[in-house]
Amino acid sequence: MIGCIIQARMGSLRLPGKVMLELQKTKPVLYYVIKQHEYCNLIDKIVVATTNLESDDIIEKYVNSLGVECYRGNATNVLDRYYKCAKTYSFSTIVRITADNPFNDPNVVEKIIEKFRSNNYDYITNSKPRTFPQGIFLEIFSFKALEIAWKNAKLPSEKEHVTPYISNRPQNFKIFNFSYGKDISHLRWTVDREDDYRLLKEIAASFEKLPITMTDILN
């Protein structure tokens, strides 16, 4: 089963509560993150993985209102949260999404899933090196690779960011970077700062339909 695990929390330092900031009325950042990926036909299930902190109760309540399940786990060891979430739902392949990218393109996601499935990779990303705009991001990895990382990761950075144990060991895992035709990584539609938020609100207001694709935004 291919599971999309969206990691989300309220405790952002630069832009607190950013995942619940409204881009349009009653439609926060997290709404778009979830809805965009619902257009990926190759994803079998979407789960939002947040922390067990009281401050993230709002995330669980909100995603449940959208009919999406929420897994709650370790606040600082995100690797542990991902592993236990994937194990709970019996995911054999995990699509890792971060909740600061509301306009991740489902067409790009599907192409990368197809690449992963057809080549027996352990791990694929589109950011090492990055050629896509900041805001078009995902990682895909097998449950087997995730379990190896979970059992063996020792460094704090390997536990906080989920995949460094895998991505830093090309000798142990079959790894691929999915590139765009040209480098447009200078473009940015992720949300991390106040000016990002203003831009994303303008993008959301410019389209009546979903999904909003990378081509839509570039045009």
Side-chain angles (χ1 to χ4, degrees):
M1 180 187 291
I2 298 177
C4 175
I5 301 179
I6 299 169
Q7 69 183 70
R9 65 187 179 101
M10 294 296 289
S12 169
L13 295 177
R14 283 183 288 270
L15 192 60
K18 64 184 179 183
V19 300
M20 291 303 295
L21 293 175
E22 290 189 349
L23 297 185
Q24 292 206 76
K25 190 174 182 181
T26 74
K27 295 178 179 178
V29 169
L30 190 53
Y31 170 87
Y32 287 91
V33 177
I34 292 169
K35 292 299 179 181
Q36 290 279 107
H37 293 94
E38 286 181 348
Y39 285 90
C40 294
N41 294 321
L42 297 179
I43 289 174
D44 297 307
K45 189 176 185 67
I46 295 173
V47 178
V48 173
T50 192
T51 80
N52 47 25
L53 299 175
E54 186 178 344
S55 58
D56 289 321
D57 289 354
I58 187 175
I59 290 178
E60 180 177 23
K61 183 177 179 180
Y62 179 71
V63 302
N64 287 166
S65 76
L66 296 179
V68 175
E69 293 185 44
C70 185
Y71 178 86
R72 303 189 69 165
N74 196 296
T76 55
N77 188 338
V78 191
L79 172 60
D80 182 74
R81 197 193 317 164
Y82 260 79
Y83 172 73
K84 290 178 178 174
C85 178
K87 190 170 185 178
T88 296
Y89 291 97
S90 300
F91 293 155
S92 57
T93 299
I94 297 93
V95 178
R96 176 178 177 248
I97 300 297
T98 55
D100 49 5
N101 296 322
F103 304 124
N104 215 21
D105 188 332
N107 299 321
V108 174
V109 175
E110 290 213 328
K111 287 178 182 176
I112 299 179
I113 292 174
E114 287 172 351
K115 182 73 174 178
F116 183 89
R117 293 200 309 181
S118 63
N119 291 271
N120 199 32
Y121 286 108
D122 297 307
Y123 171 84
I124 290 184
T125 186
N126 68 332
S127 65
K128 297 180 185 293
R130 177 183 293 281
T131 52
F132 285 86
Q134 295 182 56
I136 305 292
F137 167 76
L138 73 154
E139 296 176 303
I140 304 177
F141 40 89
S142 66
F143 179 78
K144 181 180 178 181
L146 177 63
E147 187 166 56
I148 292 170
W150 180 76
K151 288 179 177 178
N152 294 285
K154 298 292 189 293
L155 299 175
S157 60
E158 294 174 339
K159 297 178 180 181
E160 181 185 354
H161 300 293
V162 185
T163 58
Y165 184 90
I166 302 170
S167 63
N168 291 335
R169 289 169 174 79
Q171 70 276 16
N172 297 336
F173 300 97
K174 189 176 181 183
I175 292 173
F176 183 78
N177 185 73
F178 193 94
S179 298
Y180 190 56
K182 57 183 178 179
D183 184 357
I184 54 172
S185 59
H186 62 286
L187 299 175
R188 178 184 177 89
W189 54 78
T190 189
V191 58
D192 194 42
R193 309 181 300 243
E194 186 63 37
D195 57 333
D196 294 335
Y197 176 47
R198 290 195 296 269
L199 173 61
L200 292 181
K201 285 203 292 186
E202 288 188 27
I203 292 172
S206 298
F207 299 97
E208 296 289 330
K209 56 94 177 181
L210 286 176
I212 298 170
T213 68
M214 186 171 80
T215 302
D216 291 332
I217 298 172
L218 289 174
N219 287 341

